[in-house]
């Protein structure tokens, strides 16, 4: 690995100034769990790493005036897992942490890094996309906000421009909604997912409404399965409907072949895990 300088600025403005120089080879770093692997394998050669972990502007978990759960980008995955606010406001996020990597990774990896990395084989991008989360992005030139689902452009590619960093993740209220995320791993239980599927619905008098379904890991970017959503909306929740939705979902996608499974195998996984995630929502409704 090439030599590099690690800088830990105390304030956001300092970090943004360091990242704003043209032709800079500086790179933002959160937990470093992905960045270090990329540097060791020779994919990146930054000369300066700008640590974001001490910036007060990227810390904290709180509810804002609009009722959104606001999570600072430097919040570790372990803090997400243990936060009472996350457990109450977005339980699907807290629950997913238990099978995301291992505790050593979760202790240092941050929510900002988990999104900015752009690896398609991750758990948080499909979950945060499915629950309509947004991110606030800042740079020395200004700020902007986008939906998490719009962050991803392709394989390890995001919308983030040079010098931009994610400051906050905002999750709208999930009151009255039922949401489940299921991942299938083909090695250990806490491995990167071969397929991850998130289902977020309202169920009134056993009728499904406003379904959001996002598939992760199988395609280059988290992808909403809108045809499946249409097939569910306005229909009575039933086992037959969940099976039909799983079959439809699988028929719509051509998953990537990779080390986690072949395309044909992942198509089967989409069918089965989409059916199961929907059934988990229906069971939760029955037990409510
Ligand atoms: C052993 C192991 C197992 C794993 N298993 C899983 C798994 O089961 N599921 C899963 O989803 N993931 C898994 N991962 C991946 C892990 O989730 C990521 O490595 C981690 O989320 C990246 O976060 P980080 O804070 O360490 O990012 P870093 O490594 O610090 O950064 C990653 C990228 O994001 C950029 N960046 C970081 N923070 C910001 C920011 N705030 N704004 C803009 N850009 C930023 C960096 O410049 C870099 O390009 C695993 C990783 C390991 C090492």
């Amino acid at each position: 690995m090439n030599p590099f300088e690690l800088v830990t600025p105390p304030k956001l403005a300092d970090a943004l100034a360091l990242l704003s120089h043209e032709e800079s080879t500086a790179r933002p770093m959160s937990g470093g769990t992905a960045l270090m692997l990329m540097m060791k394998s020779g994919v990146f050669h930054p000369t300066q790493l700008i640590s974001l972990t001490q910036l007060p502007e990227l810390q904290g978990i709180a509810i804002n005036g609009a009722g959104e759960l606001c999570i600072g980008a430097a919040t570790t995955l372990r803090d997400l897992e243990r936060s009472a606010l996350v457990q109450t406001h977005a339980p699907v996020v807290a629950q997913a942490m238990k099978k995301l990597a291992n505790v050593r990774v979760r202790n240092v990896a941050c929510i900002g890094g988990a999104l900015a990395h752009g690896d398609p084989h991750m758990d948080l991008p499909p979950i945060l996309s499915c629950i309509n989360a947004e991110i606030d992005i800042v740079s020395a030139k200004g700020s902007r906000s986008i939906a998490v689902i719009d962050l991803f452009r392709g394989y390890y590619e995001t919308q983030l421009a040079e010098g931009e960093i994610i400051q906050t993740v905002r999750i709208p209220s999930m009151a009255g909604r039922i949401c489940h995320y299921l991942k299938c791993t083909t090695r250990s239980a806490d491995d990167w997912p071969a397929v991850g599927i998130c289902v977020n619905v309202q169920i009134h008098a056993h009728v499904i409404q406003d379904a959001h379904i996002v598939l992760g890991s199988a395609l280059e970017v988290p992808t909403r399965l809108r045809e499946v959503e249409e097939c569910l909306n306005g229909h009575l929740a039933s086992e037959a409907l969940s099976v039909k939705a799983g079959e439809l979902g699988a028929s719509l996608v051509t998953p990537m072949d990779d080390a986690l499974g072949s395309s044909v195998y992942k198509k089967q996984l989409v069918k089965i895990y989409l059916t199961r995630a929907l059934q988990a929502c229906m069971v939760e409704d029955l037990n409510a």
Side-chain angles (χ1 to χ4, degrees):
M1 193 160 65
N2 291 354
F4 62 88
E5 180 191 11
L6 175 62
V7 186
T8 306
K11 287 191 189 143
L12 180 59
D14 302 329
L16 295 180
L18 286 164
L19 290 164
S20 70
H21 299 301
E22 270 181 35
E23 295 172 30
S24 155
T25 55
R27 204 166 175 100
M29 182 177 84
S30 290
T33 59
L35 201 50
M36 287 299 147
L37 292 179
M38 307 277 271
M39 288 168 67
K40 281 183 186 166
S41 59
V43 177
F44 289 144
H45 306 283
T47 54
Q48 206 177 39
L49 293 182
I50 313 299
S51 172
L52 308 179
T53 56
Q54 302 305 312
L55 301 177
E57 298 89 340
L58 269 65
Q59 311 292 334
I61 303 178
I63 306 285
N64 68 10
E68 296 170 312
L69 180 67
C70 299
I71 304 171
T75 303
T76 66
L77 304 187
R78 187 78 170 134
D79 285 340
L80 282 185
E81 181 182 350
R82 294 200 284 199
S83 156
L85 270 181
V86 178
Q87 287 164 13
T88 311
H89 189 96
V92 66
V93 172
Q95 279 156 17
M97 292 304 104
K98 297 184 196 310
K99 288 192 181 168
L100 192 157
N102 54 56
V103 75
R104 296 185 305 282
V105 171
R106 295 199 297 274
N107 270 336
V108 287
C110 299
I111 188 168
L115 291 174
H117 186 37
D119 179 342
H121 302 101
M122 292 177 77
D123 295 296
L124 274 173
I127 298 173
L128 292 171
S129 297
C130 192
I131 60 178
N132 297 316
E134 295 194 352
I135 50 174
D136 299 325
I137 299 168
V138 279
S139 71
K141 293 179 187 157
S143 61
R144 63 188 176 115
S145 299
I146 59 170
V148 168
I149 198 155
D150 295 331
L151 173 66
F152 306 99
R153 286 176 48 182
Y155 199 73
Y156 285 90
E157 260 188 88
T158 71
Q159 296 271 4
L160 292 173
E162 288 285 320
E164 283 191 322
I165 64 167
I166 300 172
Q167 181 175 3
T168 314
V169 179
R170 286 180 286 109
I171 300 174
S173 167
M174 295 184 66
R177 304 197 66 92
I178 302 178
C179 185
H180 282 273
Y181 172 72
L182 291 185
K183 76 191 263 190
C184 175
T185 60
T186 45
R187 297 176 294 202
S188 64
D190 52 5
D191 194 11
W192 279 268
V195 158
I197 188 105
C198 194
V199 174
N200 172 18
V201 290
Q202 287 182 315
I203 306 182
H204 290 306
H206 308 302
V207 174
I208 298 182
Q209 294 171 3
D210 195 25
H212 288 241
I213 301 189
V214 176
L215 173 64
S217 298
L219 305 170
E220 290 195 351
V221 293
T223 303
R224 226 174 132 175
L225 301 182
R226 291 185 189 270
E227 281 186 52
V228 180
E229 294 170 1
E230 283 163 22
C231 140
L232 293 168
N233 287 334
H235 289 88
L236 266 183
S238 69
E239 187 177 342
L241 183 65
S242 67
V243 171
K244 183 178 165 193
E247 284 169 355
L248 176 60
S251 74
L252 294 172
V253 296
T254 305
M256 299 178 283
D257 266 322
D258 56 30
L260 298 172
S262 68
S263 180
V264 174
Y265 174 60
K266 289 189 189 177
K267 229 175 178 8
Q268 284 299 311
L269 295 180
V270 172
K271 180 171 105 179
I272 291 162
Y273 280 78
L274 174 49
T275 301
R276 286 184 188 167
L278 265 165
Q279 288 177 355
C281 293
M282 294 175 189
V283 169
E284 186 175 326
D285 173 55
L286 286 177
N287 292 335

